[in-house]
């Protein structure tokens, strides 16, 4: 058997409204060429994010009906807690409405001016929550991660020597060490078990806890099984347990590898920290047996955690992105390699060398994908990262377009369609022009900035 099939059948469908190029041109102008302003009904294939966009299973919907909405001590909480503990055996599991709420609670306790929190690469909400307390968020990913062509199998790894050096110099300022698995901001690249253990060993030797941002823990474990020597005969569940066995806590967005549309948690072993976190939770989220969630959400997460470690699912999941990556590479479209777990990242700066970075080649490509094929992707480049704290603009390190794949939502023919649209974009690439920003907010401009196409120059 050669074809890796979608390991599920479709029971409920959501129609896709098929639009024309002419219609989409009008919609783009109406949205000021910002894809966040397009209504999702007007998108044919939505690859904006893999967060909260999963298709829930029949079992999850059945679990939603079992959800118990008691304020305190709901059985939904205990089912959720035991599903988390089966994989990540932390003493305290504290539900939150999503991942950033777990981060906000954690760093409101351990952050603060003068503190430094190292990670492989902090995701932007993690960085934001650390910096909001006055602390510094530091990225210590291995140098290979910065080269889109480097085929290193674990480009999410932390540079352990730099971590050790930092702990030696600044140990007193560091409340904890973090690791993001997989490394979303670095292209969804995995962290090896060997690296997780080495980071834990160094952190513990310096008396610091290790917290894992586990949003895509199952995809990370699958990469460990496929790529790390000695791991191929072990189950994903065993590998997941090993990943978390050396950690002291975690933050999680259940909108990723728990197949849920909302939810998250903060977990830890430290009783004192947990008591402080629960106090904060009651102020900002809710009572500790529901956090910011409904009982039905907790039940959906509990089932999602059983389903996500299914190896047939993970094989199909990772293969879908690899398949798109291979076909784009065959078309000569530059991508970040190896392909990550949840997304394919296209190197728009290399693809459109005639569009200067300050005319946003990533945005130009993302707009072309929508115009020609109704595909919505996300610019991860100068629009997103090009404004410094003093308000000045410069080009980002890379101009990428992320094609993030929602879980269990699209099929092989959707993937083929995405490739065909790229084929058409590649044919017309010399004609693609950059954009200029005509209005932008002071922060997080990518969400609401208004653009217009650059003409004539
Ligand atoms: C690695 C990582 N950490 C944290 C978060 C934040 O999670 P949430 O969107 O649930 O707040 C995300 C979301 O995309 C993420 O990818």
């Amino acid at each position: 058997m050669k074809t890796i099939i979608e390991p599920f059948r479709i029971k409920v469908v959501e129609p896709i409204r098929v639009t024309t190029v002419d219609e989409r041109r009008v919609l783009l102008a109406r949205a000021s060429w910002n894809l966040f302003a397009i209504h999702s009904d007007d998108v044919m294939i939505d690859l904006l994010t893999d967060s909260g966009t999963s298709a829930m299973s029949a079992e999850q919907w059945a679990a939603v009906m079992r959800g118990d909405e008691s304020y305190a001590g709901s059985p939904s909480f205990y089912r959720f807690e035991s599903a988390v503990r089966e994989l990540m055996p932390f003493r305290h599991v504290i539900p939150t409405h999503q991942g950033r709420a777990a981060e906000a609670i954690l760093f409101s306790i351990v952050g603060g001016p003068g503190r430094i929190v190292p990670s492989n690469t902090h995701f932007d909400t993690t960085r934001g929550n650390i910096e909001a307390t006055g602390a510094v968020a530091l990225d210590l990913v291995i140098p290979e991660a910065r080269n889109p062509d480097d085929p290193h199998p674990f480009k999410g790894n932390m540079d352990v020597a730099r971590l050790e050096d930092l702990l030696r110099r600044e140990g007193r300022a560091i409340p904890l060490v973090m690791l993001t698995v997989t490394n979303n901001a670095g292209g969804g690249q995995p962290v090896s078990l060997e690296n997780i253990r080495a980071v834990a060993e160094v952190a513990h030797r310096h008396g610091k806890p290790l917290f894992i941002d586990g949003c895509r823990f199952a995809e990370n474990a699958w990469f460990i099984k496929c790529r790390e020597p000695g791991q191929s005969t072990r189950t994903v569940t065993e590998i997941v347990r090993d990943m978390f066995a050396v950690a002291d806590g975690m933050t999680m967005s259940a909108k990723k590898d728990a197949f849920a549309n909302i939810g998250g948690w903060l977990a830890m072993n430290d009783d004192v920290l947990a008591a402080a976190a629960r106090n904060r939770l009651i102020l900002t989220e809710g009572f500790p047996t529901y956090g910011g969630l409904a009982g039905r959400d907790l039940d959906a997460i509990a089932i999602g955690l059983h389903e996500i470690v299914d190896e047939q699912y993970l094989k199909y999941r990772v293969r879908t992105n690899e398949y798109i990556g291979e076909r784009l590479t065959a078309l000569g479209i530059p991508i970040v390699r190896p392909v990550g777990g949840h997304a394919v990242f296209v190197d728009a700066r290399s693809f459109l060398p005639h569009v200067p970075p300050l005319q946003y080649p990533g945005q130009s490509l993302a707009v072309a994908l929508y115009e020609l094929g109704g595909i919505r992707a996300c610019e991860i480049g100068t629009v997103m990262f090009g404004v410094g704290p003093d308000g000045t603009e410069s080009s980002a390190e890379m101009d990428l377009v992320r094609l993030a794949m929602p879980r269990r939502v699209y099929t092989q023919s959707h993937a083929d369609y995405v490739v065909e649209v790229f084929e058409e974009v590649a044919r017309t690439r010399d004609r693609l022009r950059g954009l200029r920003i005509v209005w932008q907010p002071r922060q997080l401009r990518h969400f609401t900035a208004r653009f217009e196409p650059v003409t004539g120059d």
Side-chain angles (χ1 to χ4, degrees):
M1 275 185 299
K2 287 201 300 195
T3 303
I4 297 170
I5 61 168
E6 289 86 3
F8 48 81
R9 290 182 300 217
I10 295 166
K11 185 168 189 163
V12 176
V13 295
E14 229 183 324
I16 291 174
R17 192 170 84 80
V18 177
T19 48
T20 63
V21 173
D22 286 342
E23 278 177 88
R24 293 192 293 265
R25 281 192 185 129
V26 173
L27 292 165
L28 273 171
R30 207 179 287 159
S32 301
W33 291 271
N34 187 329
L35 297 164
F36 285 97
I38 300 270
H39 294 197
S40 58
D41 281 353
D42 296 326
V43 176
M44 288 170 58
I45 309 281
D46 204 345
L47 307 182
L48 192 63
T49 177
D50 67 320
S51 179
T53 52
S54 298
M56 292 216 294
S57 66
E59 278 305 310
Q60 283 180 292
W61 283 112
V64 163
M65 291 308 297
R66 272 196 301 277
D68 177 284
E69 305 305 338
S70 303
Y71 189 92
S74 160
S76 298
F77 170 76
Y78 295 105
R79 287 191 283 266
F80 156 81
E81 183 189 47
S82 104
V84 173
R85 283 225 190 104
E86 204 165 313
L87 295 169
M88 301 115 176
F90 295 114
R91 204 155 41 234
H92 304 280
V93 181
I94 300 171
T96 58
H97 80 276
Q98 58 184 86
R100 69 199 68 187
E103 294 160 3
I105 290 172
L106 178 63
F107 293 110
S108 70
I109 302 166
V110 305
R115 295 284 167 104
I116 303 170
V117 183
S119 183
N120 43 355
T121 311
H122 290 286
F123 181 67
D124 57 10
T125 59
T126 323
R127 173 174 289 278
N129 274 302
I130 292 169
E131 290 175 350
T133 71
V136 171
L138 205 61
D139 295 339
L140 298 179
V141 74
I142 56 169
E144 289 88 336
R146 304 201 191 276
N147 176 359
D149 279 330
D150 194 307
H152 193 292
F154 291 103
K155 277 167 103 171
N157 280 358
M158 190 185 257
D159 188 329
V160 180
R162 283 183 70 200
L163 175 66
E164 174 104 59
D165 180 55
L166 181 78
L167 284 162
R168 232 184 259 127
R169 285 186 293 107
E170 306 274 4
R172 286 161 64 93
I174 297 171
L176 55 83
V177 174
M178 274 202 104
L179 258 184
T180 312
V181 304
T182 59
N183 194 19
N184 183 9
Q189 301 292 331
V191 182
S192 70
L193 192 52
E194 186 186 28
N195 190 257
I196 295 173
R197 286 176 170 150
V199 168
E201 192 278 318
V202 171
H204 292 158
R205 188 149 36 76
H206 288 265
K208 308 296 174 188
L210 169 65
F211 271 65
I212 294 181
D213 173 342
C215 291
R216 298 177 181 82
F217 70 92
E219 290 168 10
N220 198 87
W222 177 252
F223 282 121
I224 289 175
K225 182 178 169 92
C226 296
R227 296 182 185 169
E228 192 158 341
Q231 299 297 326
S232 63
T233 56
R234 308 187 60 228
T235 66
V236 162
T237 301
E238 285 168 338
I239 295 170
V240 170
R241 287 185 186 135
D242 280 0
M243 286 163 50
F244 289 92
V246 293
D248 304 281
M250 72 181 291
T251 56
M252 176 73 187
S253 167
K255 298 171 77 173
K256 284 80 173 180
D257 273 1
F259 283 134
N261 302 127
I262 195 71
W265 67 85
L266 171 63
M268 63 199 69
N269 290 327
D270 184 321
D271 298 336
V272 176
L273 185 58
R278 287 200 177 96
N279 282 339
R280 186 86 204 144
L281 182 88
I282 290 172
L283 279 180
T284 58
E285 294 277 295
F287 190 73
T289 58
Y290 72 85
L293 294 170
R296 54 180 169 266
D297 300 322
L298 294 167
D299 268 306
I301 294 170
I303 300 292
L305 286 175
H306 290 301
E307 294 178 350
I308 200 82
V309 289
D310 172 3
E311 299 189 9
Q312 291 306 324
Y313 160 74
L314 287 166
K315 187 189 221 174
Y316 137 82
R317 165 86 176 148
V318 167
R319 182 62 201 143
T320 305
N321 290 325
E322 275 171 3
Y323 171 80
I324 294 174
E326 282 164 14
R327 293 208 45 204
L328 294 186
T329 304
L331 292 173
I333 293 164
I335 60 164
V336 176
R337 293 186 315 126
V339 170
H342 65 293
V344 178
F345 287 72
V346 180
D347 183 350
R349 196 178 289 172
S350 311
F351 181 63
L352 301 176
H354 59 284
V355 178
L358 293 184
Q359 289 181 13
Y360 318 121
Q363 189 69 14
S364 170
L365 174 57
V367 164
L369 289 170
Y370 181 73
E371 184 177 314
L372 291 179
I375 296 168
R376 176 157 65 173
C378 187
E379 191 265 8
I380 308 236
T382 303
V383 176
M384 197 179 265
F385 299 121
V387 180
D390 61 355
T392 56
E393 189 182 43
S394 57
S395 58
E397 208 172 311
M398 294 192 270
D399 279 296
L400 304 176
V401 169
R402 184 182 71 177
L403 312 171
M405 196 52 75
R407 293 168 182 79
R408 302 191 293 207
V409 171
Y410 294 115
T411 63
Q412 170 83 30
S413 79
H414 294 119
D416 286 330
Y417 175 79
V418 169
V419 175
E420 278 166 25
V421 173
F422 263 97
E423 227 168 330
E424 200 165 332
V425 172
R427 269 199 296 275
T428 58
R429 77 163 132 188
D430 294 343
R431 275 183 271 144
L432 295 188
R433 291 285 165 266
L435 296 124
R436 73 167 66 87
I437 291 180
V438 293
W439 179 86
Q440 59 183 319
R442 279 224 293 270
Q443 282 171 320
L444 298 173
R445 66 176 178 173
H446 54 288
F447 290 125
T448 53
R450 292 201 284 272
F451 300 84
E452 66 183 22
V454 172
T455 47
D457 43 330

